[in-house]
């Protein structure tokens, strides 16, 4: 078995379990796309400094907007291996 670097997309990462999952995945050496609502994006600055990519996402948004965020997430690293909907 290889130690392939995974790409994680985690919602609700401005605090709590979502934030801890981002840090754990980054410390494992994986890539992480961390998301939060617009009003909470400033809480992700330290996660970005740790190496996470940041996207604005409100899981209650329209389907078209959710699809656009998903497209942008895949565009960052070419794929998403792990999705955690923590929002």
């Amino acid at each position: 078995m290889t130690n392939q670097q995974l790409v994680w997309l985690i919602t609700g990462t401005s605090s709590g379990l979502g934030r801890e999952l981002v840090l754990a995945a980054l410390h494992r050496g994986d890539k992480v796309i961390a998301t939060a609502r617009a009003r909470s994006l400033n809480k992700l600055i330290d996660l970005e400094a740790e190496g996470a990519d940041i996207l604005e996402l409100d899981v209650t948004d329209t389907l078209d907007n959710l699809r656009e965020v998903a497209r942008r997430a895949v565009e960052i690293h070419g794929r998403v291996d792990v999705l955690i909907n923590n929002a």
Side-chain angles (χ1 to χ4, degrees):
M1 181 173 187
T2 64
N3 290 333
Q4 177 184 353
Q5 187 177 50
L6 297 174
V7 178
W8 299 63
L9 173 59
I10 306 174
T11 67
T13 62
S14 62
S15 64
L17 181 62
R19 170 176 288 283
E20 293 303 317
L21 288 168
V22 170
L23 292 171
L26 288 172
H27 291 149
R28 222 182 86 90
D30 290 339
K31 299 288 187 182
V32 178
I33 303 162
T35 73
R37 292 179 287 188
R39 68 178 182 223
S40 300
L41 279 177
N42 64 331
K43 296 179 182 178
L44 306 187
I45 293 169
D46 62 322
L47 296 179
E48 189 172 33
E50 290 281 333
D53 294 287
I54 306 301
L55 287 178
E56 180 183 333
L57 171 65
D58 183 338
V59 298
T60 66
D61 211 341
T62 66
L63 184 56
D64 285 341
N65 286 343
L66 294 173
R67 284 183 176 140
E68 175 59 20
V69 173
R71 184 196 64 74
R72 288 175 36 218
V74 169
E75 195 173 75
I76 292 172
H77 296 290
R79 67 184 201 278
V80 171
D81 301 308
V82 180
L83 170 63
I84 298 179
N85 183 9
N86 178 65

